[in-house]
Amino acid sequence: MLLYGVRKLRYIIQRMRKMNLFRIDGTFYRILEKSINFLLLNLLWFLMCLPIITIFPATAAMFGVVRQWTQKKETGIFRNYFVLLKENFLQSFILGIIWFGLAYLFYFNISISLQMSGTLKFLAVSILVCLCLLFIMTSIFLFPIMVHYKMGWTSILKNSLLFSVTQLRSTFLCGIILFITIVITYIIPMTSIIFWSIAVYNIYRLCDKSFIKIESMGQSV
């Protein structure tokens, strides 16, 4: 019912724009329509993440939608989201299993390392922290590359790592966006109904600029 209400509101706003009702310069309605689009996309993503095991496919579909927004493609959010969910489901599901497995492996090894003592503890923790940082950096480019390029999951992992270390400015800015979103949604939980889709949109735009930069330099992934 909530999704239906949001879609209905979006339809009404579009009709008002076409009819020029209460129109001053159109800016207000464009902002309102974009806000509804982000809200609807966020709600779809949230609902599809509820089974937990579908978090990666749901997130891949959300990145796919914002990619089309970045390319100025006017498509229906609801229908397009589920088309992209279906297209990327198997690949993103496999990557999700791998990623959760690696995350648990890091957590397990860090827990063991903290129980050590002396120089061995320092070396083990230092190495694991560096690897965890690299893991987080790679994660930033994982979904943008998945929806931008058509390639196997091993190539996605390889190129996500390469982009994360060669495009450090984009990686750093995306990390800041992600960190701020986590902090805000933690402090004000209600903002989570729209902030995640906005964050994904801005992260993809930054990553897309990196893709264009690399492609213009004649480097192929």
Side-chain angles (χ1 to χ4, degrees):
M1 288 297 293
L2 182 58
L3 287 176
Y4 174 77
V6 174
R7 292 178 66 193
K8 190 68 176 178
L9 180 59
R10 180 168 174 265
Y11 171 76
I12 292 171
I13 292 169
Q14 289 175 335
R15 293 290 297 175
M16 290 175 69
R17 284 185 62 190
K18 290 178 181 178
M19 296 170 65
N20 291 328
L21 293 177
F22 310 108
R23 189 176 189 275
I24 300 176
D25 59 2
T27 302
F28 172 76
Y29 294 108
R30 285 196 296 272
I31 293 173
L32 186 57
E33 184 179 10
K34 287 184 181 297
S35 299
I36 294 298
N37 287 341
F38 280 118
L39 177 60
L40 178 57
L41 179 60
N42 209 115
L43 289 172
L44 284 171
W45 172 73
F46 181 75
L47 289 173
M48 292 302 104
C49 285
L50 288 178
I52 304 300
I53 60 171
T54 58
I55 289 177
F56 264 62
T59 306
M62 180 159 66
F63 269 94
V65 172
V66 299
R67 176 177 181 266
Q68 294 185 339
W69 289 352
T70 303
Q71 296 177 338
K72 308 300 181 183
K73 292 183 180 179
E74 294 294 332
T75 55
I77 297 174
F78 193 83
R79 178 182 179 278
N80 207 44
Y81 181 87
F82 285 102
V83 169
L84 290 166
L85 181 69
K86 182 179 178 181
E87 286 181 359
N88 296 288
F89 188 88
L90 182 60
Q91 186 178 65
S92 57
F93 184 75
I94 292 172
L95 282 172
I97 294 173
I98 295 171
W99 230 237
F100 279 121
L102 287 172
Y104 177 77
L105 193 62
F106 280 124
Y107 171 77
F108 177 78
N109 281 282
I110 289 175
S111 298
I112 296 298
S113 300
L114 290 174
Q115 296 176 18
M116 299 177 181
S117 59
T119 306
L120 184 60
K121 176 182 178 179
F122 175 77
L123 288 173
V125 172
S126 298
I127 292 171
L128 286 169
V129 167
C130 290
L131 290 174
C132 283
L133 180 61
L134 200 59
F135 176 77
I136 294 170
M137 290 168 60
T138 303
S139 301
I140 289 172
F141 275 91
L142 196 66
F143 292 106
I145 286 179
M146 188 188 305
V147 300
H148 189 81
Y149 297 104
K150 299 297 182 183
M151 54 178 59
W153 64 269
T154 53
S155 295
I156 291 174
L157 293 177
K158 180 187 70 176
N159 285 288
S160 295
L161 175 61
L162 290 174
F163 269 102
S164 68
V165 296
T166 58
Q167 302 296 310
L168 287 176
R169 181 177 177 275
S170 294
T171 305
F172 178 71
L173 291 175
C174 288
I176 290 177
I177 292 171
L178 191 59
F179 176 75
I180 291 173
T181 303
I182 291 171
V183 171
I184 292 176
T185 53
Y186 177 77
I187 296 173
I188 312 173
M190 278 300 296
T191 58
S192 61
I193 65 173
I194 191 171
F195 264 44
W196 285 106
S197 57
I198 295 174
V200 164
Y201 177 77
N202 286 290
I203 287 172
Y204 182 81
R205 288 195 64 180
L206 285 169
C207 291
D208 189 53
K209 288 179 181 179
S210 294
F211 300 153
I212 293 171
K213 178 182 177 182
I214 294 296
E215 289 166 4
S216 65
M217 292 170 60
Q219 299 181 18
S220 58
V221 295

